[in-house]
Amino acid sequence: MADRPDPDALLAQLKEEERSNGRGRIKIYLGMAAGVGKTYAMLSDGQEAKRRGEDVVIGYVEPHGRPETEALTVGLEQVPLATHDYRGVSIKEFDLDAAVRRKPQLVLVDELAHSNAPGARHKKRWQDVQELLQEGIDVFTTVNIQHIESLNDVVAQITGIVVTETIPDSLVYDADEVEVVDIPPQELIQRLHEGKVYVPTKVDQALSSFFKKSNLSALRELALRHTAERVDRQVRTYRAAEGALEPWHTKERIVVCVGPNKMSLRVVRAAARMAGTLHAELIAVSVDSPRQSMLGEADRVRVVEALRLAENLGAETVTLSGQDIVSEVIRFAQSRNVTTIMVGKPIRHRWRELVFGSVVDTMVRHSGDINVLVITGTDTTGTPQRLIPKQTERTDWRGYGLAAGVTLAATGICSLMFNRFERINLVMVYLLGVTYVASRKSRWAATLAAFLAVGTFDFFFVPPTKSFAVSDVQYIFTFAVMLVVALLTSTLTARLREQTVAASIRERRTAALFNLSRKLSATRSRIEIGTFTAAKIKEVFGCDVGVLIKSRATGKLFSGPESESKFEFKPNENAVALWVLDHGKMAGAGTDTLPGSEGLFLPLNAENGCVGVLAVKWTGDPVRDPAQLHFLENFANQLAVAVERTNLAKDSHQAMLQVEKERLRNSLLSSVSHDLRTPLTIISGAADRLRESVHLTDSRDLELAQAIAVESERLGRQVRNLLDMTRLDSGGVELNREWQSIEELVGSALSRTEHLLQCHIVKTELAADIPLLMVDGVLVEQAIVNLLENAARHTPAGTEVKVSAHTTPGQVILEVANNGPCLAEGEEDRIFDKFYRTSPKATQGFGLGLTICKSIMEAHGGTIRAINNQEGGVSFMMTLPMSESVPEVPLG
């Protein structure tokens, strides 16, 4: 049974084979950044495949003007590119349909994370590649590590740049082959200086931001580690498929064996140090065997403390069940491709090892190719501080009495059988008695019964009778066999009884947890959940129980329900409960933290933090069996999950109400805004007509007409903001992306706000190397207008408003800065909230302009933020992503 394949592994293998049938193969060339040579490596392998006789075509390759890369395209057929026209600008993209019609063996497709131009079948190029694979066409493709979805946040933290074009992780993990194209960071920087990556005008900017040596080193390690994790996953899959038992030393994994001896803590610490040195995965393993069930209370405490120490040191903890400790550990190590097993040096007397066997010696003999490392130490090394006073086990006098009584009864029966049955049948009677004692009492009682059986049999029924002398030497062999059989029978019977007791305990615990889980799943009130759980804990453990639940409104604890003695509300006990709530750790009686408390307090830790505290007051000793403590922790975990579920249900309900509230408000605002537009248009037109009228000569009348026109125009802008906000919130805006010039967008926005900024000094500073952007021009222009209006409204006349734009790798940053008043602390983020105004006395505007800017930027995959300038004023910085492929604008 030990060599039986894992059914789950076989099923996964069958699914993978089914997925691969008829599907093309994909090879990904992965690099840490642009310029490492991914495209060059892909084309080189493509040329090699063609020399082998394969049908190879180029689907899309971006040589970036590098002569050595362009030279590798010679001799390879290229699928014609698809052309998309936008406002006279031609955009060339990979033609998926042409490649499918051509149906070669292998297609070379560069820049896997590229976003296709509007009008293409798929939004992303990786979707084109997936369709090629489904058609049975092999693909070679390239991608940088920053484009992998799960690493997006990590890359942003390292480089300070948010990459918007990403691919799913599954593409890399499921790829048939991944090749890391790697060069040292210093060599890549040298290539930048030589103009082999970017045009010379962008080199200095790239070196000062994305291509700093520290960034490249971190991205390089990220690429290598990500690829190593993928390879390790594949290795484990291959091992499971082949049923390999010997470890493949592809990655260091260490299993530390946690036992009841005094060296457990020392062994765990040594394993953690080694795992840290080797950057290895650490797993702490304990085996729940019949031998372990006979341990004393202090020994079980050592196991629990060692496992908790391992968890605190970052190890995975696993508890196995089985009769043979060594076999279970080795089987587990083989299944996890473990390279090293660490155990503590035996500290028992040598004669006990010779009689009962040694786990360490057996482990070494049966470990195969797995290294076994034995940690040395003295008997007292690593001895933990006792949480439980050692209790003297009571002598089982009743068991010994039963052994004597059964032996006496067996002697009586044998005396009746004597001279009528063979002596071997008398031996069977005694063995039956030994088995009976073993099934009812301890092993020591059964052992006593075995020796008494041999002695009484010799004394009463072996000639010369009523003497321990033996006339026939053959009886010595009979006594020896009888004693061995009796001991084996008693041992096996006692072990079976122990296993039955352990199974019964596990069954009761499982049933209790199942009943609790089933009841909690049908309960919606936190008070009802706490009441039922407290009653169940009291039933199982016989203790006084109280449940304290954290109020989400105040953050304080309230009863749900209280204990019978209300001990948790005493000032000292309540202080312990608050400490547990704040730290999320167990404290109170029987622990190392605040051990003088009356009760034991367990945190109700959920995914979103601690949601309450479980308070337990024992009726007897302050601390019980560690196994029971773990069982109690399981109850606390179930309670925490149930409480968090009710919290999430309430949050979901509140969110639904808020969404409905927002929907109704947006509908109302949209309706009102639409109804206001017509009269506002009429008022504005009438005011303009009055201002232009030659019959209006009174200066006061002209001023009134001018005021009507200005105020109606201002109100019109607010109504437009309301309409824009309701459209953006409702998702009713579809981006009409086109290639846009940042100069034209800024110029148009300045023209629209010229009358608002006539009392300000306006400066523009736009970098010359800004490429065209694939954006919705109307919305981006509106965002710029809103920022300019904000500057005009909140800065004094005569102050400067500066509009600037520059590029960083992968993005364009547009900045609108003023030298008016600064933002208060904490307003940098709140200023973009809906209906938020910096001053309660402000009467102009609804507080929607900046909110609209944020929504427009997020719709484009960009960002906006506000920062106070050192010399005074505020800068609003909008970030828009650049496309990897920018069309060439034909010169005049």
Side-chain angles (χ1 to χ4, degrees):
M1 295 294 291
D3 298 332
R4 182 179 179 181
D6 185 357
D8 293 332
L10 291 176
L11 180 60
Q13 181 184 0
L14 291 175
K15 287 182 177 179
E16 177 63 23
E17 292 176 354
E18 182 179 356
R19 184 189 70 83
S20 301
N21 287 338
R23 182 180 173 89
R25 295 176 59 82
I26 180 173
K27 179 177 181 179
I28 296 178
Y29 296 82
L30 179 66
M32 64 178 170
V36 296
K38 304 182 300 297
T39 305
Y40 188 92
M42 179 182 69
L43 290 171
S44 298
D45 289 351
Q47 292 282 7
E48 181 63 28
K50 182 182 179 182
R51 285 192 289 270
R52 293 196 302 266
E54 295 184 29
D55 183 11
V56 183
V57 301
I58 295 177
Y60 183 90
V61 165
E62 185 60 63
H64 298 288
R66 301 163 190 159
E68 62 273 18
T69 304
E70 293 177 350
L72 287 174
T73 63
V74 177
L76 293 176
E77 177 187 348
Q78 182 158 355
V79 176
L81 300 177
T83 302
H84 301 271
D85 294 325
Y86 288 94
R87 293 186 178 182
V89 179
S90 296
I91 305 173
K92 295 187 179 296
E93 294 281 7
F94 169 55
D95 194 335
L96 174 62
D97 293 326
V100 172
R101 287 194 300 269
R102 173 65 174 74
K103 204 171 178 63
Q105 287 180 265
L106 175 62
V107 177
L108 310 182
V109 182
D110 208 1
E111 296 181 353
L112 182 62
H114 171 73
S115 296
N116 292 329
R121 183 186 309 175
H122 299 127
K123 291 183 64 176
K124 299 288 187 178
R125 185 167 289 166
W126 61 263
Q127 295 172 312
D128 295 338
V129 168
Q130 283 191 322
E131 188 166 333
L132 290 176
L133 297 175
Q134 291 171 359
E135 293 291 335
I137 301 173
D138 296 342
V139 176
F140 285 178
T141 186
T142 65
V143 73
N144 289 328
I145 190 65
Q146 65 262 32
H147 295 296
I148 296 178
E149 179 64 41
S150 66
L151 301 178
N152 190 263
D153 295 339
V154 179
V155 173
Q157 183 182 10
I158 294 172
T159 64
I161 297 173
V162 178
V163 179
T164 57
E165 292 186 322
T166 59
I167 63 172
D169 289 56
S170 57
L171 276 177
V172 180
Y173 280 125
D174 295 338
D176 298 278
E177 187 176 352
V178 174
E179 179 178 326
V180 179
V181 182
D182 181 53
I183 61 174
Q186 190 60 44
E187 185 176 336
L188 178 56
I189 292 174
Q190 181 62 35
R191 297 192 67 188
L192 273 169
H193 285 298
E194 295 172 355
K196 295 182 179 180
V197 181
Y198 290 126
V199 295
T201 57
K202 292 186 177 181
V203 171
D204 291 339
Q205 184 179 350
L207 289 173
S208 63
S209 55
F210 189 87
F211 283 83
K212 290 190 294 187
K213 189 172 182 180
S214 59
N215 290 352
L216 294 178
S217 298
L219 292 174
R220 185 188 192 193
E221 181 180 5
L222 204 60
L224 295 173
R225 284 186 178 275
H226 193 269
T227 307
E229 290 174 2
R230 175 189 175 275
V231 172
D232 182 68
R233 182 180 298 185
Q234 287 184 330
V235 167
R236 293 172 64 179
T237 302
Y238 297 152
R239 291 184 75 254
E242 297 181 9
L245 298 179
E246 298 78 11
W248 296 357
H249 294 263
T250 56
K251 180 179 179 180
E252 289 292 332
R253 285 188 182 85
I254 299 175
V255 159
V256 54
C257 297
V258 175
N261 60 64
K262 299 178 181 180
M263 288 189 59
S264 294
L265 297 180
R266 177 186 177 91
V267 176
V268 169
R269 292 190 182 101
R273 289 195 299 270
M274 176 172 285
T277 302
L278 300 177
H279 300 286
E281 181 181 347
L282 179 61
I283 309 171
V285 172
S286 174
V287 181
D288 186 7
S289 67
R291 180 189 295 187
Q292 304 292 86
S293 65
M294 299 301 296
L295 295 174
E297 200 168 0
D299 289 332
R300 289 196 292 270
V301 168
R302 294 191 185 101
V303 175
V304 173
E305 285 196 336
L307 289 176
R308 286 183 176 170
L309 175 63
E311 288 179 349
N312 293 335
L313 294 175
E316 175 188 355
T317 58
V318 177
T319 301
L320 306 174
S321 296
Q323 305 222 4
D324 190 337
I325 296 175
V326 174
S327 297
E328 292 299 327
V329 171
I330 292 179
R331 188 182 296 112
F332 174 80
Q334 291 170 343
S335 68
R336 297 291 293 269
N337 195 24
V338 168
T339 56
T340 304
I341 298 175
M342 297 184 66
V343 295
K345 185 188 74 172
I347 59 176
R348 295 191 302 176
H349 295 291
R350 184 60 180 168
W351 69 268
R352 291 177 62 88
E353 294 181 13
L354 294 175
V355 175
F356 298 104
S358 170
V359 171
V360 175
D361 291 343
T362 309
M363 184 90 65
V364 172
R365 292 191 185 95
H366 295 85
S367 61
D369 291 334
I370 302 176
N371 299 323
V372 177
L373 184 60
V374 182
I375 304 300
T376 61
T378 62
D379 289 359
T380 58
T381 302
T383 302
Q385 182 181 358
R386 290 192 184 277
L387 294 180
I388 305 174
K390 186 173 181 180
Q391 298 176 353
T392 305
E393 297 183 0
R394 296 181 179 179
T395 305
D396 187 13
W397 296 113
R398 291 185 178 181
Y400 297 149
L402 179 64
V406 168
T407 304
L408 182 61
T411 304
I413 295 173
C414 289
S415 63
L416 297 177
M417 298 171 58
F418 191 59
N419 295 329
R420 294 185 178 86
F421 293 87
E422 295 291 336
R423 287 185 175 83
I424 192 61
N425 294 318
L426 305 184
V427 172
M428 295 299 104
V429 174
Y430 280 108
L431 292 179
L432 181 62
V434 173
T435 303
Y436 177 79
V437 174
S439 65
R440 292 290 185 272
K441 297 297 179 179
S442 66
R443 296 189 186 199
W444 298 112
T447 303
L448 175 62
F451 280 99
L452 289 177
V454 173
T456 53
F457 176 71
D458 177 25
F459 188 81
F460 290 106
F461 305 109
V462 175
T465 59
K466 298 181 181 180
S467 171
F468 289 108
V470 178
S471 59
D472 191 342
V473 180
Q474 292 182 359
Y475 278 110
I476 297 177
F477 178 74
T478 302
F479 297 154
V481 172
M482 181 180 175
L483 180 61
V484 170
V485 171
L487 291 175
L488 287 176
T489 302
S490 64
T491 300
L492 294 176
T493 305
R495 181 177 298 178
L496 179 61
R497 183 172 59 85
E498 293 163 2
Q499 292 175 0
T500 303
V501 172
S504 177
I505 293 174
R506 286 195 296 268
E507 189 276 333
R508 289 198 301 271
R509 291 178 176 177
T510 304
L513 287 174
F514 174 74
N515 292 334
L516 177 65
S517 176
R518 183 174 59 179
K519 180 67 176 179
L520 293 182
S521 64
T523 306
R524 294 292 179 264
S525 168
R526 290 187 295 178
I527 300 297
E528 292 180 2
I529 288 173
T531 301
F532 181 80
T533 306
K536 198 67 177 177
I537 294 175
K538 183 177 181 181
E539 174 189 337
V540 174
F541 294 93
C543 55
D544 194 11
V545 183
V547 177
L548 300 172
I549 299 176
K550 180 182 178 181
S551 170
R552 294 191 297 165
T554 63
K556 297 181 180 180
L557 293 172
F558 66 92
S559 177
E562 61 188 23
S563 64
E564 293 181 356
S565 62
K566 301 182 181 180
F567 72 93
E568 67 271 22
F569 295 110
K570 295 180 180 180
N572 292 339
E573 303 300 307
N574 189 253
V576 178
L578 291 175
W579 187 93
V580 171
L581 179 68
D582 293 337
H583 295 81
K585 297 180 180 179
M586 185 189 312
T591 68
D592 292 332
T593 305
L594 305 172
S597 303
E598 292 183 24
L600 174 66
F601 295 84
L602 294 88
L604 303 181
N605 288 325
E607 185 175 354
N608 295 323
C610 188
V611 296
V613 176
L614 177 65
V616 176
K617 183 179 180 182
W618 306 111
T619 56
D621 296 332
V623 178
R624 293 209 172 181
D625 187 346
Q628 288 184 320
L629 186 57
H630 266 299
F631 191 34
L632 181 60
E633 289 177 330
N634 290 333
F635 276 92
N637 293 335
Q638 291 274 6
L639 177 57
V641 171
V643 171
E644 185 179 43
R645 175 174 51 79
T646 61
N647 291 341
L648 293 176
K650 290 182 179 179
D651 290 341
S652 177
H653 181 66
Q654 292 295 330
M656 291 178 62
L657 292 178
Q658 185 65 27
V659 168
E660 185 64 19
K661 178 181 176 181
E662 287 290 329
R663 188 185 67 80
L664 291 175
R665 183 169 66 174
N666 290 338
S667 298
L668 177 61
L669 291 176
S670 178
S671 177
V672 171
S673 301
H674 278 290
D675 291 342
L676 288 175
R677 292 185 69 180
T678 300
L680 277 174
T681 302
I682 296 174
I683 294 172
S684 180
D688 291 339
R689 184 68 179 270
L690 283 174
R691 287 189 301 174
E692 297 171 359
S693 174
V694 296
H695 301 291
L696 197 64
T697 58
D698 191 341
S699 60
R700 289 188 62 188
D701 293 340
L702 286 174
E703 290 178 1
L704 290 174
Q706 179 72 19
I708 293 172
V710 171
E711 293 302 317
S712 62
E713 183 181 354
R714 182 177 66 83
L715 188 56
R717 289 197 302 270
Q718 305 307 327
V719 170
R720 284 195 299 273
N721 280 342
L722 283 174
L723 284 171
D724 291 341
M725 196 69 252
T726 53
R727 289 169 57 218
L728 289 169
D729 281 351
S730 63
V733 177
E734 292 186 4
L735 297 183
N736 183 22
R737 290 180 181 266
E738 296 181 351
W739 292 107
Q740 301 286 346
S741 167
I742 196 68
E743 292 88 349
E744 293 182 2
L745 294 175
V746 172
S748 179
L750 288 173
S751 297
R752 289 174 55 185
T753 56
E754 182 178 3
H755 62 288
L756 296 174
L757 296 168
Q758 59 185 354
C759 296
H760 293 74
I761 303 171
V762 180
K763 293 184 179 180
T764 59
E765 187 177 307
L766 307 179
D769 60 344
I770 300 178
L772 297 179
L773 298 177
M774 178 62 72
V775 296
D776 188 319
V778 175
L779 290 179
V780 173
E781 181 182 325
Q782 183 62 46
I784 302 173
V785 168
N786 287 357
L787 291 179
L788 293 173
E789 289 180 352
N790 182 78
R793 190 162 54 243
H794 294 286
T795 58
T799 57
E800 180 181 288
V801 176
K802 182 179 179 182
V803 182
S804 61
H806 63 277
T807 61
T808 61
Q811 59 189 5
V812 172
I813 297 179
L814 178 64
E815 181 178 354
V816 178
N818 62 71
N819 54 6
C822 294
L823 296 173
E825 185 178 356
E827 281 191 328
E828 291 87 349
D829 294 327
R830 293 166 54 200
I831 198 172
F832 296 103
D833 292 344
K834 193 183 300 183
F835 302 112
Y836 179 80
R837 291 185 291 185
T838 55
S839 174
K841 298 181 180 180
T843 57
Q844 293 189 346
F846 296 139
L848 291 175
L850 296 180
T851 308
I852 292 173
C853 294
K854 181 180 180 181
S855 298
I856 292 173
M857 289 300 103
E858 290 178 347
H860 285 83
T863 60
I864 183 172
R865 59 193 179 99
I867 57 174
N868 288 323
N869 300 323
Q870 291 183 354
E871 62 276 8
V874 182
S875 293
F876 292 90
M877 306 181 69
M878 295 189 295
T879 301
L880 287 168
M882 289 192 301
S883 299
E884 291 191 2
S885 299
V886 180
E888 296 182 1
V889 181
L891 300 176

PDB file of all heavy atoms in Angstrom, residues 543-558:
ATOM      1  N   CYS A 543     -16.505  23.244  31.644  1.00  0.00           N
ATOM      2  CA  CYS A 543     -15.917  24.452  32.205  1.00  0.00           C
ATOM      3  C   CYS A 543     -16.892  25.612  32.068  1.00  0.00           C
ATOM      4  O   CYS A 543     -17.904  25.522  31.377  1.00  0.00           O
ATOM      5  CB  CYS A 543     -14.594  24.776  31.503  1.00  0.00           C
ATOM      6  SG  CYS A 543     -14.751  24.917  29.716  1.00  0.00           S
ATOM      7  N   ASP A 544     -16.560  26.705  32.722  1.00  0.00           N
ATOM      8  CA  ASP A 544     -17.368  27.923  32.644  1.00  0.00           C
ATOM      9  C   ASP A 544     -16.879  28.739  31.453  1.00  0.00           C
ATOM     10  O   ASP A 544     -15.686  29.027  31.345  1.00  0.00           O
ATOM     11  CB  ASP A 544     -17.224  28.713  33.943  1.00  0.00           C
ATOM     12  CG  ASP A 544     -18.282  29.794  34.073  1.00  0.00           C
ATOM     13  OD1 ASP A 544     -19.236  29.793  33.267  1.00  0.00           O
ATOM     14  OD2 ASP A 544     -18.162  30.631  34.995  1.00  0.00           O
ATOM     15  N   VAL A 545     -17.800  29.116  30.571  1.00  0.00           N
ATOM     16  CA  VAL A 545     -17.411  29.720  29.299  1.00  0.00           C
ATOM     17  C   VAL A 545     -18.142  31.042  29.100  1.00  0.00           C
ATOM     18  O   VAL A 545     -19.339  31.152  29.367  1.00  0.00           O
ATOM     19  CB  VAL A 545     -17.731  28.780  28.108  1.00  0.00           C
ATOM     20  CG1 VAL A 545     -17.248  29.397  26.798  1.00  0.00           C
ATOM     21  CG2 VAL A 545     -17.098  27.423  28.325  1.00  0.00           C
ATOM     22  N   GLY A 546     -17.404  32.020  28.619  1.00  0.00           N
ATOM     23  CA  GLY A 546     -17.979  33.297  28.207  1.00  0.00           C
ATOM     24  C   GLY A 546     -17.425  33.700  26.858  1.00  0.00           C
ATOM     25  O   GLY A 546     -16.276  33.384  26.530  1.00  0.00           O
ATOM     26  N   VAL A 547     -18.238  34.380  26.073  1.00  0.00           N
ATOM     27  CA  VAL A 547     -17.819  34.830  24.747  1.00  0.00           C
ATOM     28  C   VAL A 547     -17.906  36.349  24.712  1.00  0.00           C
ATOM     29  O   VAL A 547     -18.954  36.928  25.033  1.00  0.00           O
ATOM     30  CB  VAL A 547     -18.702  34.218  23.639  1.00  0.00           C
ATOM     31  CG1 VAL A 547     -18.288  34.767  22.285  1.00  0.00           C
ATOM     32  CG2 VAL A 547     -18.599  32.700  23.650  1.00  0.00           C
ATOM     33  N   LEU A 548     -16.812  36.985  24.330  1.00  0.00           N
ATOM     34  CA  LEU A 548     -16.750  38.443  24.201  1.00  0.00           C
ATOM     35  C   LEU A 548     -16.530  38.767  22.732  1.00  0.00           C
ATOM     36  O   LEU A 548     -15.538  38.336  22.132  1.00  0.00           O
ATOM     37  CB  LEU A 548     -15.611  39.012  25.046  1.00  0.00           C
ATOM     38  CG  LEU A 548     -15.704  38.732  26.555  1.00  0.00           C
ATOM     39  CD1 LEU A 548     -14.424  39.164  27.249  1.00  0.00           C
ATOM     40  CD2 LEU A 548     -16.904  39.452  27.147  1.00  0.00           C
ATOM     41  N   ILE A 549     -17.459  39.524  22.145  1.00  0.00           N
ATOM     42  CA  ILE A 549     -17.412  39.842  20.728  1.00  0.00           C
ATOM     43  C   ILE A 549     -17.056  41.312  20.551  1.00  0.00           C
ATOM     44  O   ILE A 549     -17.534  42.174  21.289  1.00  0.00           O
ATOM     45  CB  ILE A 549     -18.762  39.516  20.052  1.00  0.00           C
ATOM     46  CG1 ILE A 549     -19.056  38.017  20.183  1.00  0.00           C
ATOM     47  CG2 ILE A 549     -18.752  39.916  18.580  1.00  0.00           C
ATOM     48  CD1 ILE A 549     -20.403  37.611  19.629  1.00  0.00           C
ATOM     49  N   LYS A 550     -16.227  41.591  19.577  1.00  0.00           N
ATOM     50  CA  LYS A 550     -15.769  42.952  19.316  1.00  0.00           C
ATOM     51  C   LYS A 550     -16.831  43.732  18.553  1.00  0.00           C
ATOM     52  O   LYS A 550     -17.343  43.276  17.518  1.00  0.00           O
ATOM     53  CB  LYS A 550     -14.469  42.916  18.509  1.00  0.00           C
ATOM     54  CG  LYS A 550     -13.905  44.288  18.170  1.00  0.00           C
ATOM     55  CD  LYS A 550     -12.651  44.146  17.335  1.00  0.00           C
ATOM     56  CE  LYS A 550     -12.095  45.511  16.949  1.00  0.00           C
ATOM     57  NZ  LYS A 550     -10.868  45.371  16.107  1.00  0.00           N
ATOM     58  N   SER A 551     -17.174  44.889  19.082  1.00  0.00           N
ATOM     59  CA  SER A 551     -18.114  45.771  18.394  1.00  0.00           C
ATOM     60  C   SER A 551     -17.394  46.475  17.261  1.00  0.00           C
ATOM     61  O   SER A 551     -16.343  47.086  17.463  1.00  0.00           O
ATOM     62  CB  SER A 551     -18.693  46.803  19.367  1.00  0.00           C
ATOM     63  OG  SER A 551     -19.423  47.792  18.680  1.00  0.00           O
ATOM     64  N   ARG A 552     -17.952  46.399  16.071  1.00  0.00           N
ATOM     65  CA  ARG A 552     -17.299  47.040  14.933  1.00  0.00           C
ATOM     66  C   ARG A 552     -17.475  48.554  14.960  1.00  0.00           C
ATOM     67  O   ARG A 552     -16.737  49.269  14.301  1.00  0.00           O
ATOM     68  CB  ARG A 552     -17.858  46.468  13.630  1.00  0.00           C
ATOM     69  CG  ARG A 552     -17.498  45.006  13.445  1.00  0.00           C
ATOM     70  CD  ARG A 552     -17.810  44.544  12.066  1.00  0.00           C
ATOM     71  NE  ARG A 552     -19.246  44.614  11.780  1.00  0.00           N
ATOM     72  CZ  ARG A 552     -19.759  44.530  10.554  1.00  0.00           C
ATOM     73  NH1 ARG A 552     -18.971  44.379   9.527  1.00  0.00           N
ATOM     74  NH2 ARG A 552     -21.064  44.573  10.380  1.00  0.00           N
ATOM     75  N   ALA A 553     -18.447  49.022  15.701  1.00  0.00           N
ATOM     76  CA  ALA A 553     -18.684  50.463  15.777  1.00  0.00           C
ATOM     77  C   ALA A 553     -17.703  51.130  16.725  1.00  0.00           C
ATOM     78  O   ALA A 553     -17.108  52.170  16.405  1.00  0.00           O
ATOM     79  CB  ALA A 553     -20.117  50.737  16.219  1.00  0.00           C
ATOM     80  N   THR A 554     -17.506  50.532  17.907  1.00  0.00           N
ATOM     81  CA  THR A 554     -16.656  51.152  18.936  1.00  0.00           C
ATOM     82  C   THR A 554     -15.315  50.455  19.115  1.00  0.00           C
ATOM     83  O   THR A 554     -14.400  51.014  19.708  1.00  0.00           O
ATOM     84  CB  THR A 554     -17.393  51.160  20.276  1.00  0.00           C
ATOM     85  OG1 THR A 554     -17.637  49.801  20.703  1.00  0.00           O
ATOM     86  CG2 THR A 554     -18.726  51.883  20.155  1.00  0.00           C
ATOM     87  N   GLY A 555     -15.208  49.207  18.641  1.00  0.00           N
ATOM     88  CA  GLY A 555     -13.982  48.442  18.840  1.00  0.00           C
ATOM     89  C   GLY A 555     -13.868  47.828  20.217  1.00  0.00           C
ATOM     90  O   GLY A 555     -12.864  47.186  20.535  1.00  0.00           O
ATOM     91  N   LYS A 556     -14.889  47.981  21.063  1.00  0.00           N
ATOM     92  CA  LYS A 556     -14.866  47.427  22.403  1.00  0.00           C
ATOM     93  C   LYS A 556     -15.529  46.054  22.427  1.00  0.00           C
ATOM     94  O   LYS A 556     -16.220  45.662  21.491  1.00  0.00           O
ATOM     95  CB  LYS A 556     -15.584  48.374  23.366  1.00  0.00           C
ATOM     96  CG  LYS A 556     -14.924  49.742  23.499  1.00  0.00           C
ATOM     97  CD  LYS A 556     -15.673  50.621  24.485  1.00  0.00           C
ATOM     98  CE  LYS A 556     -14.996  51.982  24.612  1.00  0.00           C
ATOM     99  NZ  LYS A 556     -15.723  52.869  25.570  1.00  0.00           N
ATOM    100  N   LEU A 557     -15.324  45.340  23.540  1.00  0.00           N
ATOM    101  CA  LEU A 557     -15.880  44.002  23.696  1.00  0.00           C
ATOM    102  C   LEU A 557     -17.240  44.077  24.391  1.00  0.00           C
ATOM    103  O   LEU A 557     -17.423  44.845  25.340  1.00  0.00           O
ATOM    104  CB  LEU A 557     -14.939  43.110  24.509  1.00  0.00           C
ATOM    105  CG  LEU A 557     -13.604  42.756  23.853  1.00  0.00           C
ATOM    106  CD1 LEU A 557     -12.701  42.045  24.844  1.00  0.00           C
ATOM    107  CD2 LEU A 557     -13.810  41.899  22.614  1.00  0.00           C
ATOM    108  N   PHE A 558     -18.166  43.262  23.908  1.00  0.00           N
ATOM    109  CA  PHE A 558     -19.439  43.124  24.601  1.00  0.00           C
ATOM    110  C   PHE A 558     -19.766  41.649  24.750  1.00  0.00           C
ATOM    111  O   PHE A 558     -19.235  40.804  24.017  1.00  0.00           O
ATOM    112  CB  PHE A 558     -20.567  43.861  23.859  1.00  0.00           C
ATOM    113  CG  PHE A 558     -20.899  43.271  22.519  1.00  0.00           C
ATOM    114  CD1 PHE A 558     -21.884  42.299  22.384  1.00  0.00           C
ATOM    115  CD2 PHE A 558     -20.235  43.697  21.373  1.00  0.00           C
ATOM    116  CE1 PHE A 558     -22.189  41.763  21.155  1.00  0.00           C
ATOM    117  CE2 PHE A 558     -20.541  43.162  20.140  1.00  0.00           C
ATOM    118  CZ  PHE A 558     -21.520  42.188  20.029  1.00  0.00           C
TER     119      PHE A 558
END
